[in-house]
Amino acid sequence: MTDHLDRASAAARAFIEREHGLFIDDVFEGPTKAVLETEDPSTGRLLSRVTEADATDVDRAVQAARRAFEDGRYRNLTPAERERLLLRLAELLDRDASVFAELDALEMGKPLAVSLGIVRGAAAFLRYMAGWATKIHGRTVPPSPRDPSQSLFGYTLREPVGVCACIVPWNVAVLMAAWKLGPALATGCSVVLKPAEGTPLTALKLAELVREAGFPAGVVNIVTGRGPVTGQALVEHPDVAKIAFTGSTAVGRAIGAKAGGRLARVTLELGGKSPLLILPDADLETAARTAAHAAFYNTGQICGAGTRLIVPRSMHDELVEAILGSARTRVIGRALDEGTTLGPAASRAQRDKVARLLGIAQSEGGHLLGVGDVPEEGYFVLPTVVTDVTAEHTLFREEVFGPVLTVTPYDTFEEAIGLCNATEYGLAAGIQGRDFTQVQRAVKAIRAGVVWVNTYHVYDASMPFGGVGQSGIGRELGEEVLDNFLETKAVTVAF
Ligand code: NAP
Ligand code: MG
């Protein structure tokens, strides 16, 4: 079998083989200190070496971002100029999409075609945010003066919040970077971006494009390293005005507490345990295909994954069979091998977590139905349907972040809604059904930030995304995301 890395293009390999430093103040620094090694999860072998930024490096990055913000070299550009720079960045990302996709596939394990779709999505989102740069405005307001002889005129200005620390996970690294950079740059903020320790390459590659696009020095800085070192230094830095975090609920809570301690602004996009509710009149084949997509897309490593199937008891057996049939059509394999549609878990730790939770599920009475064969090398896990799962089971409550779908039957609509909401999370929910009234009742009753009706995993630039409860605070995408990066200045003029 061809070595996995040999399947990559010369351009991707050359980038991977470099000894990477940090990107601070428009300079690609050499690798000077602690080296962090990453792995290819398709094989478990060494992939790349990057630098781990310590508190001093993080301080240099934040200071560069702060200088860039304070002297106005970017935020005082015309909105049209910021739009042009963002459009240019999107264009460059599209130009280099295949290399980005290869890097993402190699360091995270996504099948190449899936990676390519993610990169295109990231470029599309940057383009969407570019459009907002020229449409950020306040309001005119009529205050009521106490003194009737006085006239007052009020208006609001929307101003960038300052230096933003953007901390992102590994599952869709390029997209997560774009979701943070897009609104930060559209609004005129400066950024220090920290990618996840296992997936630094696409962020470093993006730095090259930021430079080529012509963003002024210091507006975007990239620091690689581990969460408790590099991430923590960023979160604790007093000159960071806003923290935009995507990741696990446990880390999100800790970051929220620290941000609260010094009143830094913070948004948290966290985990989920999203239900997919099948209504009795749903088409069975469509429901099965949707359920498999909801649970197995990106090997289940996506925060919005639909991981709890809530199904009418009468449809249970037939639907489980149909989902397993759909799972059997997946081709499990290395990210760059032709035909692969289901890649490995992104790391050894992730694979072990899936195995541990499946073990617990079995011991609590769940019935495991895994499909396919696991390749010898790499961190592969089987797409698995688990039946006989009740709301009391660990697997019904804990996020797996792997290709695992639980199935729980219901008898009445009220029982079904109760099951959907029996979670501390509230990110997404799916509903499959045709009766309009019943669908609308379910949409209203389910506690979630995002609801997909007769579809799943639609992440459109124009639609706000984010969760309630333990799934986080704030929304990304859409017009709503701008609020996270803007302060309002209220101006009152007497005349
Ligand atoms: P994670 O451990 O919370 O990591 C997320 C990011 O935070 C990484 O860059 C991580 O660095 C960093 N980090 C870790 N500890 C930190 C600390 N003490 N201070 C500052 N930064 C720290 O999450 P993960 O396990 O990598 O990612 C999977 C989780 O993300 C899942 O729970 C998933 O649901 C969630 N997620 C949510 C969304 C959403 O939009 N709601 C999207 C994608 C993923 P290291 O890489 O070094 O740990
Ligand atoms: Mg982590």
Side-chain angles (χ1 to χ4, degrees), residues 151-162:
S151 291
L152 294 178
F153 170 62
Y155 65 96
T156 60
L157 293 172
R158 303 281 277 155
E159 299 180 331
V161 65

Side-chain angles (χ1 to χ4, degrees), residues 163-309:
V163 175
C164 299
C166 300
I167 302 178
V168 295
W170 41 263
N171 59 336
V172 278
V174 196
L175 193 68
M176 291 298 105
W179 282 17
K180 309 290 188 223
L181 286 179
L185 295 174
T187 51
C189 293
S190 301
V191 174
V192 181
L193 173 74
K194 189 202 97 63
E197 63 180 283
T199 56
L201 293 176
T202 48
L204 291 165
K205 186 80 187 152
L206 202 55
E208 293 187 351
L209 302 191
V210 163
R211 205 173 188 213
E212 188 180 345
F215 283 90
V219 173
V220 176
N221 307 273
I222 313 280
V223 291
T224 50
R226 285 169 297 168
V229 180
T230 314
Q232 184 166 325
L234 251 183
V235 167
E236 290 175 354
H237 200 293
D239 291 331
V240 166
K242 188 239 163 8
I243 301 163
F245 173 81
T246 299
S248 61
T249 294
V251 174
R253 279 198 198 135
I255 288 179
K258 278 188 183 153
R262 61 179 175 84
L263 296 186
R265 302 190 44 179
V266 63
T267 42
L268 305 168
E269 300 289 344
L270 310 177
K273 192 73 199 177
S274 302
L276 175 57
L277 171 61
I278 310 300
L279 292 172
D281 66 348
D283 176 66
L284 196 121
E285 276 309 311
T286 314
R289 244 183 299 117
T290 305
H293 178 57
F296 304 145
Y297 172 71
N298 206 27
T299 313
Q301 299 165 119
I302 185 104
C303 49
T307 53
R308 296 183 297 133
L309 191 70

